[in-house]
Amino acid sequence: MADSFYRIFRFTSLYICICATLLAASFTSCSDSEHFDELPGAIQKFVALYYPEIAVSSYSFNNGIYSIVLRNSATMTFNSSYQWITVNGRGSTLPEIFIYDRLPETLYEYLQTTSNINEVYSATHNSATYTLDLLDYTVVYDIKTATITYSSRNSR
């Protein structure tokens, strides 16, 4: 009798653990999906295009700036017009399709010529410049003059 009780107890405990794990996973999935669904459509398209299959961990909207954190991945900011301001890979390089689509052609060609397409860790954009952080140096593209300058990270 004790043996049968022990088997039922083990089975019940295992069943409860499995159910709890599945329930916790479903809450996490809903939460991530809800965060994504709450974002403006243009930002949803941006995230889905450049970071497909990566859940939105959190986001905030303060002083006209959307800040998005992707689960174990990039962070990004957008202005109130839904234009990207920063994309930071948080230790990973940015997707090549993002580099191709969102940077000026001259800057993209520079990265291609210097074999740095897959070496961009973060990008910042404002009305005057594009700034890219690579492993060993920073590249700045001046929009008005279409000039590119760079500085070593060690010289800062």
Side-chain angles (χ1 to χ4, degrees):
M1 175 115 175
D3 188 42
S4 124
F5 175 76
Y6 179 72
R7 284 185 191 163
I8 292 171
F9 179 75
R10 276 187 60 200
F11 177 75
T12 305
S13 298
L14 179 63
Y15 180 75
I16 290 171
C17 286
I18 290 171
C19 287
T21 302
L22 292 174
L23 187 60
S26 71
F27 283 137
T28 303
S29 297
C30 287
S31 175
D32 292 342
S33 176
E34 287 175 17
H35 288 311
F36 181 81
D37 293 342
E38 292 170 357
L39 293 172
I43 296 175
Q44 286 180 5
K45 288 178 185 175
F46 185 98
V47 171
L49 178 61
Y50 300 120
Y51 290 92
E53 305 296 321
I54 299 179
V56 174
S57 181
S58 65
Y59 81 94
S60 63
F61 180 71
N62 294 311
N63 299 324
I65 303 294
Y66 287 91
S67 299
I68 290 101
V69 177
L70 301 181
R71 176 155 307 201
N72 300 320
S73 187
T75 60
M76 52 196 72
T77 59
F78 296 84
N79 63 22
S80 57
S81 299
Y82 315 130
Q83 301 300 310
W84 72 276
I85 300 169
T86 63
V87 178
N88 185 327
R90 294 195 312 175
S92 296
T93 58
L94 303 184
E96 184 176 345
I97 188 71
F98 167 81
I99 304 290
Y100 179 79
D101 285 350
R102 300 296 174 153
L103 300 182
E105 186 176 342
T106 305
L107 183 53
Y108 179 81
E109 288 172 359
Y110 169 81
L111 292 170
Q112 211 171 25
T113 302
T114 59
S115 300
N116 284 309
I117 290 289
N118 294 314
E119 300 298 322
V120 180
Y121 289 88
S122 73
T124 303
H125 167 244
N126 60 42
S127 61
T129 61
Y130 287 85
T131 304
L132 308 177
D133 288 325
L134 283 69
L135 183 60
D136 295 324
Y137 59 100
T138 299
V139 175
V140 178
Y141 175 82
D142 185 292
I143 295 171
K144 190 174 186 178
T145 63
T147 57
I148 297 171
T149 57
Y150 64 92
S151 62
S152 170
R153 287 198 176 284
N154 298 331
S155 66
R156 290 192 211 176

